[in-house]
Amino acid sequence: MRFSGRLGPRTGQNALSSLAARLLAEGRPLINISDSNPTRHGLRPEGVLSALSGGGALEYRPDPRGLLSARLALAERFGGEPSSYFLSASTSEAYSWLFKLLCDPGDAVLVPRPGYPLFDSLAGLEAVRAVPYGLEYAHPAGWSIDLGSLRAAATSSGAKAVVVINPNNPTGSYASSSEREAIVSLCAELGMALVADEVFYPYAIESGPGRSRLAGEARCLCFSLDGLSKLLCLPQMKLGWIRVSGPAPEAAEAASRLEHIADAFLSAGAPAMNALPALLGRAEPFVETVLARLSANLDAARAAFDGAGSPYRILRCDGGWTALLEYPRAAAEEATALGLLRDEGVFAQPGYFFDMERDGYLALSLILEPDLFSEAIGRIRRYIDSSLA
Ligand SMILES: Cc1ncc(COP(=O)(O)O)c(C=O)c1O
């Protein structure tokens, strides 16, 4: 049997996941400090099940763009016309629709580096190349997009789209207004589409006031992505959406083509779409609750690692659910992550998972229960301190 090459070489579990599986099989309790599954950390809005059982949940009225009542609620909350929204099962699925819409096999899309590895595999599954553009870090100012590397990557690859994660995962950086201007004009100049992933947008922790949503950008063809998985900590609901915007004839053509793709799958579930207006109504106070947790954990991480003369530092964290810890390097990053898991029972994703430029970083998920988070960072500090001694 010959399989498609879309999956790339199958290398099985990495060393860290294999060790975690072995320790769990032995009955060792582990703390996953990189866990981004909110359902495991007591974050859930009120009234989800009653919203799901509302009238109409069991009716089937297929519409490639998704239930009109759900799209009306999105338009009311986020702007634009209901017809500019497309509902999907998740933002991950929305990416796959956009790659189908924009790319032929072998075409390129630009993705941020450091970045979340999901986008490389989603691109690969559509036989599309994910070509990186760089983000740079300066302390304490924070991250910025290397616009030179973005232009170079766009022109050398002939990319069809640029993916901007606003704020990016794991760097937590929002696109600044000058970056936004540069990216939009590059897209207009080169005929690239802008894919703006704004799933973490409401979670601004250390960001100043200058950020803005890219959703609804009218000067280039723009697809913005969002969903319930981060907005309401409901990844199990499987509901995401795309908003299409841009210059009139092009955006209309894109939407009508996207409708064909969505029609082939009709993947958003009726109960979740039907519940969306009620769920969106709960977003405001719920986001505040999550933000309070993120801020408390970030404060705890800063108290544990930052400070005059500390060999550690927490990178600036404008938004999102992840903080990056930079630690003094006594060993290669993988050896540190394996030792931390083996000796202290803490599973932490090392920076190379996200293509950080060099060794010496761990990703800390800020959504953990504060007691668990504090316990984990205490163990990390103890392990790395002792490996330096
Ligand atoms: C930036 C970003 N976008 C999208 C996703 C996937 O979200 P969904 O659950 O809607 O597929 C993730 C997952 O963590 C993410 O980090």
Side-chain angles (χ1 to χ4, degrees), residues 194-241:
L194 172 57
V195 175
D197 176 337
E198 305 202 298
V199 296
F200 290 115
Y201 188 84
Y203 298 107
I205 316 174
E206 293 182 331
S207 150
R211 63 187 197 288
S212 63
R213 276 194 187 266
L214 296 160
E217 173 57 59
R219 294 167 292 171
C220 66
L221 184 58
C222 175
F223 304 91
S224 64
L225 309 181
D226 206 339
L228 290 186
S229 113
K230 308 293 185 277
L231 179 66
L232 279 152
C233 289
L234 293 171
Q236 75 282 39
M237 290 276 279
K238 305 308 300 176
L239 195 64
W241 50 89

Short mmCIF file of all heavy atoms in Angstrom, two decimals, residues 194-241:
data_model
loop_
_atom_site.label_atom_id
_atom_site.label_comp_id
_atom_site.label_asym_id
_atom_site.label_seq_id
_atom_site.Cartn_x
_atom_site.Cartn_y
_atom_site.Cartn_z
N LEU A 194 -4.88 37.61 3.79
CA LEU A 194 -4.50 37.67 5.20
C LEU A 194 -5.41 36.71 5.97
O LEU A 194 -6.63 36.80 5.88
CB LEU A 194 -4.69 39.11 5.70
CG LEU A 194 -4.54 39.39 7.19
CD1 LEU A 194 -3.17 38.96 7.69
CD2 LEU A 194 -4.76 40.88 7.48
N VAL A 195 -4.77 35.76 6.68
CA VAL A 195 -5.53 34.86 7.56
C VAL A 195 -5.20 35.27 8.99
O VAL A 195 -4.06 35.12 9.43
CB VAL A 195 -5.16 33.38 7.30
CG1 VAL A 195 -5.86 32.47 8.30
CG2 VAL A 195 -5.50 32.98 5.86
N ALA A 196 -6.18 35.84 9.67
CA ALA A 196 -5.93 36.41 11.00
C ALA A 196 -6.59 35.52 12.05
O ALA A 196 -7.81 35.43 12.11
CB ALA A 196 -6.50 37.82 11.08
N ASP A 197 -5.77 34.84 12.83
CA ASP A 197 -6.27 33.94 13.86
C ASP A 197 -6.34 34.73 15.17
O ASP A 197 -5.32 35.12 15.73
CB ASP A 197 -5.30 32.76 13.96
CG ASP A 197 -5.63 31.77 15.06
OD1 ASP A 197 -6.30 32.14 16.03
OD2 ASP A 197 -5.17 30.61 14.95
N GLU A 198 -7.57 34.99 15.63
CA GLU A 198 -7.73 35.88 16.79
C GLU A 198 -8.39 35.15 17.96
O GLU A 198 -9.10 35.75 18.76
CB GLU A 198 -8.51 37.14 16.36
CG GLU A 198 -7.79 37.80 15.18
CD GLU A 198 -8.11 39.27 14.96
OE1 GLU A 198 -9.28 39.56 14.69
OE2 GLU A 198 -7.18 40.10 15.05
N VAL A 199 -8.08 33.85 18.06
CA VAL A 199 -8.74 33.06 19.12
C VAL A 199 -8.36 33.55 20.52
O VAL A 199 -9.14 33.40 21.46
CB VAL A 199 -8.49 31.54 18.99
CG1 VAL A 199 -9.09 31.00 17.71
CG2 VAL A 199 -7.03 31.18 19.09
N PHE A 200 -7.16 34.11 20.67
CA PHE A 200 -6.74 34.58 22.00
C PHE A 200 -6.94 36.09 22.18
O PHE A 200 -6.48 36.65 23.17
CB PHE A 200 -5.26 34.24 22.24
CG PHE A 200 -4.98 32.78 22.42
CD1 PHE A 200 -4.22 32.07 21.48
CD2 PHE A 200 -5.48 32.08 23.51
CE1 PHE A 200 -3.95 30.72 21.65
CE2 PHE A 200 -5.23 30.73 23.69
CZ PHE A 200 -4.46 30.04 22.75
N TYR A 201 -7.57 36.75 21.22
CA TYR A 201 -7.60 38.22 21.23
C TYR A 201 -8.09 38.83 22.56
O TYR A 201 -7.50 39.79 23.07
CB TYR A 201 -8.45 38.77 20.07
CG TYR A 201 -8.33 40.25 19.99
CD1 TYR A 201 -7.25 40.84 19.31
CD2 TYR A 201 -9.22 41.10 20.65
CE1 TYR A 201 -7.09 42.21 19.30
CE2 TYR A 201 -9.05 42.47 20.63
CZ TYR A 201 -7.99 43.02 19.95
OH TYR A 201 -7.81 44.37 19.94
N PRO A 202 -9.16 38.30 23.19
CA PRO A 202 -9.66 38.98 24.41
C PRO A 202 -8.72 38.87 25.60
O PRO A 202 -8.92 39.58 26.58
CB PRO A 202 -10.97 38.26 24.72
CG PRO A 202 -11.27 37.39 23.56
CD PRO A 202 -10.00 37.15 22.82
N TYR A 203 -7.71 37.98 25.51
CA TYR A 203 -6.90 37.71 26.70
C TYR A 203 -5.65 38.58 26.73
O TYR A 203 -4.53 38.10 26.60
CB TYR A 203 -6.58 36.21 26.78
CG TYR A 203 -7.84 35.40 26.90
CD1 TYR A 203 -8.33 34.65 25.83
CD2 TYR A 203 -8.59 35.45 28.07
CE1 TYR A 203 -9.51 33.94 25.95
CE2 TYR A 203 -9.78 34.75 28.18
CZ TYR A 203 -10.24 34.00 27.12
OH TYR A 203 -11.42 33.32 27.23
N ALA A 204 -5.86 39.88 26.89
CA ALA A 204 -4.74 40.84 26.94
C ALA A 204 -4.28 40.96 28.39
O ALA A 204 -5.03 41.42 29.24
CB ALA A 204 -5.21 42.19 26.42
N ILE A 205 -3.05 40.52 28.65
CA ILE A 205 -2.56 40.54 30.03
C ILE A 205 -1.66 41.76 30.26
O ILE A 205 -1.99 42.65 31.04
CB ILE A 205 -1.80 39.24 30.38
CG1 ILE A 205 -2.55 38.02 29.88
CG2 ILE A 205 -1.60 39.14 31.90
CD1 ILE A 205 -1.80 36.71 30.06
N GLU A 206 -0.53 41.82 29.55
CA GLU A 206 0.39 42.94 29.78
C GLU A 206 0.39 43.92 28.61
O GLU A 206 1.23 44.81 28.54
CB GLU A 206 1.82 42.41 29.99
CG GLU A 206 1.96 41.62 31.28
CD GLU A 206 3.38 41.11 31.55
OE1 GLU A 206 4.13 40.87 30.57
OE2 GLU A 206 3.72 40.96 32.72
N SER A 207 -0.55 43.71 27.67
CA SER A 207 -0.56 44.55 26.47
C SER A 207 -1.00 45.99 26.80
O SER A 207 -1.86 46.19 27.66
CB SER A 207 -1.54 43.93 25.48
OG SER A 207 -2.12 44.90 24.68
N GLY A 208 -0.41 46.94 26.11
CA GLY A 208 -0.87 48.32 26.21
C GLY A 208 -2.17 48.48 25.43
O GLY A 208 -2.72 47.50 24.91
N PRO A 209 -2.67 49.71 25.28
CA PRO A 209 -3.97 49.90 24.65
C PRO A 209 -3.94 49.84 23.10
O PRO A 209 -4.97 49.82 22.47
CB PRO A 209 -4.38 51.32 25.10
CG PRO A 209 -3.09 51.99 25.44
CD PRO A 209 -2.09 50.95 25.80
N GLY A 210 -2.74 49.78 22.49
CA GLY A 210 -2.65 50.00 21.03
C GLY A 210 -3.02 48.83 20.15
O GLY A 210 -2.73 48.83 18.96
N ARG A 211 -3.68 47.79 20.68
CA ARG A 211 -3.92 46.63 19.81
C ARG A 211 -5.29 46.77 19.12
O ARG A 211 -6.17 47.49 19.61
CB ARG A 211 -3.86 45.34 20.61
CG ARG A 211 -4.93 45.25 21.66
CD ARG A 211 -4.75 44.04 22.55
NE ARG A 211 -5.98 43.80 23.25
CZ ARG A 211 -6.42 44.56 24.24
NH1 ARG A 211 -5.72 45.61 24.64
NH2 ARG A 211 -7.57 44.29 24.81
N SER A 212 -5.45 46.06 18.00
CA SER A 212 -6.77 46.06 17.35
C SER A 212 -6.98 44.71 16.68
O SER A 212 -6.02 44.03 16.32
CB SER A 212 -6.87 47.18 16.31
OG SER A 212 -5.94 46.96 15.29
N ARG A 213 -8.25 44.36 16.54
CA ARG A 213 -8.58 43.13 15.80
C ARG A 213 -8.33 43.36 14.32
O ARG A 213 -8.65 44.43 13.80
CB ARG A 213 -10.05 42.78 16.00
CG ARG A 213 -10.34 42.01 17.25
CD ARG A 213 -11.75 41.43 17.17
NE ARG A 213 -12.14 40.82 18.42
CZ ARG A 213 -11.99 39.52 18.70
NH1 ARG A 213 -11.47 38.70 17.80
NH2 ARG A 213 -12.38 39.04 19.86
N LEU A 214 -7.81 42.33 13.65
CA LEU A 214 -7.64 42.39 12.20
C LEU A 214 -8.96 42.02 11.50
O LEU A 214 -9.16 42.37 10.33
CB LEU A 214 -6.54 41.43 11.75
CG LEU A 214 -5.14 41.79 12.30
CD1 LEU A 214 -4.21 40.59 12.26
CD2 LEU A 214 -4.56 42.94 11.50
N ALA A 215 -9.84 41.35 12.22
CA ALA A 215 -11.13 40.94 11.65
C ALA A 215 -11.83 42.13 11.02
O ALA A 215 -11.89 43.20 11.62
CB ALA A 215 -12.01 40.34 12.74
N GLY A 216 -12.35 41.94 9.82
CA GLY A 216 -13.09 43.01 9.16
C GLY A 216 -12.19 43.92 8.33
O GLY A 216 -12.70 44.86 7.70
N GLU A 217 -10.89 43.64 8.29
CA GLU A 217 -9.97 44.46 7.49
C GLU A 217 -10.50 44.53 6.05
O GLU A 217 -10.82 43.51 5.44
CB GLU A 217 -8.56 43.83 7.53
CG GLU A 217 -7.54 44.46 6.62
CD GLU A 217 -7.35 45.95 6.88
OE1 GLU A 217 -6.99 46.32 8.01
OE2 GLU A 217 -7.57 46.75 5.94
N ALA A 218 -10.60 45.76 5.53
CA ALA A 218 -11.28 45.94 4.24
C ALA A 218 -10.30 46.18 3.09
O ALA A 218 -10.70 46.16 1.92
CB ALA A 218 -12.25 47.12 4.33
N ARG A 219 -9.01 46.38 3.39
CA ARG A 219 -8.09 46.81 2.32
C ARG A 219 -7.41 45.66 1.60
O ARG A 219 -6.71 45.84 0.63
CB ARG A 219 -7.05 47.77 2.89
CG ARG A 219 -7.68 49.09 3.37
CD ARG A 219 -6.70 49.87 4.22
NE ARG A 219 -6.43 49.20 5.47
CZ ARG A 219 -5.49 49.56 6.34
NH1 ARG A 219 -4.70 50.58 6.06
NH2 ARG A 219 -5.30 48.91 7.46
N CYS A 220 -7.55 44.44 2.14
CA CYS A 220 -7.04 43.26 1.42
C CYS A 220 -7.99 42.12 1.74
O CYS A 220 -8.78 42.22 2.69
CB CYS A 220 -5.60 42.93 1.85
SG CYS A 220 -5.46 42.39 3.55
N LEU A 221 -7.90 41.04 0.97
CA LEU A 221 -8.77 39.90 1.26
C LEU A 221 -8.35 39.33 2.62
O LEU A 221 -7.19 39.00 2.83
CB LEU A 221 -8.62 38.85 0.16
CG LEU A 221 -9.53 37.63 0.26
CD1 LEU A 221 -11.00 38.04 0.28
CD2 LEU A 221 -9.25 36.65 -0.86
N CYS A 222 -9.31 39.26 3.52
CA CYS A 222 -8.98 38.89 4.91
C CYS A 222 -9.96 37.84 5.42
O CYS A 222 -11.18 37.96 5.23
CB CYS A 222 -9.03 40.15 5.78
SG CYS A 222 -8.78 39.83 7.54
N PHE A 223 -9.42 36.81 6.06
CA PHE A 223 -10.24 35.80 6.71
C PHE A 223 -9.84 35.80 8.17
O PHE A 223 -8.68 35.50 8.48
CB PHE A 223 -9.96 34.42 6.10
CG PHE A 223 -10.17 34.36 4.62
CD1 PHE A 223 -9.11 34.61 3.74
CD2 PHE A 223 -11.42 34.06 4.09
CE1 PHE A 223 -9.31 34.56 2.36
CE2 PHE A 223 -11.62 34.01 2.72
CZ PHE A 223 -10.56 34.26 1.85
N SER A 224 -10.77 36.16 9.05
CA SER A 224 -10.40 36.11 10.46
C SER A 224 -11.04 34.87 11.09
O SER A 224 -12.14 34.46 10.70
CB SER A 224 -10.81 37.38 11.17
OG SER A 224 -12.20 37.49 11.16
N LEU A 225 -10.31 34.29 12.02
CA LEU A 225 -10.74 33.03 12.64
C LEU A 225 -10.93 33.23 14.13
O LEU A 225 -10.14 33.91 14.79
CB LEU A 225 -9.67 31.94 12.44
CG LEU A 225 -9.15 31.70 11.03
CD1 LEU A 225 -8.12 30.57 11.05
CD2 LEU A 225 -10.29 31.35 10.12
N ASP A 226 -11.97 32.61 14.64
CA ASP A 226 -12.22 32.65 16.08
C ASP A 226 -13.10 31.45 16.41
O ASP A 226 -13.53 30.72 15.49
CB ASP A 226 -12.94 33.97 16.43
CG ASP A 226 -12.68 34.41 17.87
OD1 ASP A 226 -12.30 33.56 18.70
OD2 ASP A 226 -12.88 35.60 18.17
N GLY A 227 -13.36 31.24 17.69
CA GLY A 227 -14.20 30.10 18.03
C GLY A 227 -14.42 29.99 19.52
O GLY A 227 -13.87 30.75 20.31
N LEU A 228 -15.24 28.99 19.88
CA LEU A 228 -15.59 28.83 21.29
C LEU A 228 -14.48 28.20 22.12
O LEU A 228 -14.52 28.26 23.34
CB LEU A 228 -16.85 27.94 21.41
CG LEU A 228 -18.15 28.57 20.93
CD1 LEU A 228 -19.32 27.63 21.23
CD2 LEU A 228 -18.38 29.93 21.61
N SER A 229 -13.50 27.61 21.45
CA SER A 229 -12.53 26.82 22.20
C SER A 229 -11.72 27.68 23.15
O SER A 229 -11.40 27.25 24.25
CB SER A 229 -11.73 25.97 21.23
OG SER A 229 -10.43 26.28 21.12
N LYS A 230 -11.42 28.93 22.76
CA LYS A 230 -10.69 29.83 23.66
C LYS A 230 -11.63 30.89 24.24
O LYS A 230 -11.56 31.20 25.42
CB LYS A 230 -9.54 30.51 22.91
CG LYS A 230 -8.61 29.55 22.17
CD LYS A 230 -7.83 28.66 23.10
CE LYS A 230 -6.82 27.78 22.41
NZ LYS A 230 -7.27 26.54 21.84
N LEU A 231 -12.53 31.43 23.43
CA LEU A 231 -13.39 32.53 23.90
C LEU A 231 -14.19 32.12 25.13
O LEU A 231 -14.35 32.90 26.07
CB LEU A 231 -14.35 32.95 22.77
CG LEU A 231 -15.32 34.08 23.12
CD1 LEU A 231 -14.57 35.38 23.37
CD2 LEU A 231 -16.35 34.28 22.01
N LEU A 232 -14.71 30.87 25.11
CA LEU A 232 -15.51 30.42 26.26
C LEU A 232 -14.94 29.15 26.87
O LEU A 232 -15.64 28.46 27.62
CB LEU A 232 -16.96 30.22 25.84
CG LEU A 232 -17.75 31.54 25.79
CD1 LEU A 232 -18.87 31.48 24.79
CD2 LEU A 232 -18.31 31.89 27.16
N CYS A 233 -13.67 28.87 26.57
CA CYS A 233 -13.02 27.66 27.11
C CYS A 233 -13.85 26.41 26.83
O CYS A 233 -14.01 25.55 27.71
CB CYS A 233 -12.78 27.81 28.61
SG CYS A 233 -11.49 28.99 29.00
N LEU A 234 -14.42 26.34 25.63
CA LEU A 234 -15.28 25.21 25.28
C LEU A 234 -14.78 24.49 24.02
O LEU A 234 -15.49 24.44 23.00
CB LEU A 234 -16.73 25.70 25.06
CG LEU A 234 -17.47 26.23 26.29
CD1 LEU A 234 -18.81 26.87 25.89
CD2 LEU A 234 -17.71 25.12 27.31
N PRO A 235 -13.57 23.89 24.07
CA PRO A 235 -13.08 23.19 22.87
C PRO A 235 -13.94 21.98 22.52
O PRO A 235 -14.02 21.59 21.36
CB PRO A 235 -11.65 22.77 23.27
CG PRO A 235 -11.64 22.76 24.77
CD PRO A 235 -12.61 23.83 25.19
N GLN A 236 -14.60 21.42 23.56
CA GLN A 236 -15.42 20.22 23.31
C GLN A 236 -16.70 20.53 22.56
O GLN A 236 -17.37 19.64 22.04
CB GLN A 236 -15.72 19.51 24.65
CG GLN A 236 -16.75 20.17 25.54
CD GLN A 236 -16.22 21.37 26.33
OE1 GLN A 236 -15.45 22.16 25.82
NE2 GLN A 236 -16.67 21.51 27.57
N MET A 237 -17.08 21.82 22.46
CA MET A 237 -18.31 22.19 21.73
C MET A 237 -18.10 22.13 20.22
O MET A 237 -19.05 22.09 19.46
CB MET A 237 -18.76 23.59 22.11
CG MET A 237 -19.28 23.68 23.52
SD MET A 237 -20.99 23.20 23.58
CE MET A 237 -21.73 24.73 23.05
N LYS A 238 -16.85 22.17 19.81
CA LYS A 238 -16.52 22.10 18.38
C LYS A 238 -17.30 23.14 17.57
O LYS A 238 -18.17 22.82 16.76
CB LYS A 238 -16.78 20.68 17.82
CG LYS A 238 -16.09 19.54 18.52
CD LYS A 238 -14.61 19.73 18.69
CE LYS A 238 -13.81 19.88 17.43
NZ LYS A 238 -12.37 20.16 17.73
N LEU A 239 -16.99 24.42 17.83
CA LEU A 239 -17.60 25.47 17.02
C LEU A 239 -16.61 26.62 16.82
O LEU A 239 -16.13 27.22 17.79
CB LEU A 239 -18.89 26.00 17.68
CG LEU A 239 -19.77 26.83 16.74
CD1 LEU A 239 -20.29 25.98 15.58
CD2 LEU A 239 -20.94 27.45 17.49
N GLY A 240 -16.29 26.86 15.56
CA GLY A 240 -15.42 27.98 15.20
C GLY A 240 -16.08 28.76 14.08
O GLY A 240 -17.14 28.36 13.56
N TRP A 241 -15.47 29.89 13.71
CA TRP A 241 -16.04 30.64 12.61
C TRP A 241 -14.97 31.43 11.85
O TRP A 241 -13.92 31.76 12.39
CB TRP A 241 -17.16 31.58 13.06
CG TRP A 241 -16.83 32.47 14.22
CD1 TRP A 241 -16.27 33.70 14.18
CD2 TRP A 241 -17.04 32.19 15.62
NE1 TRP A 241 -16.13 34.22 15.44
CE2 TRP A 241 -16.60 33.30 16.35
CE3 TRP A 241 -17.57 31.09 16.31
CZ2 TRP A 241 -16.65 33.36 17.74
CZ3 TRP A 241 -17.62 31.15 17.70
CH2 TRP A 241 -17.18 32.28 18.39
#
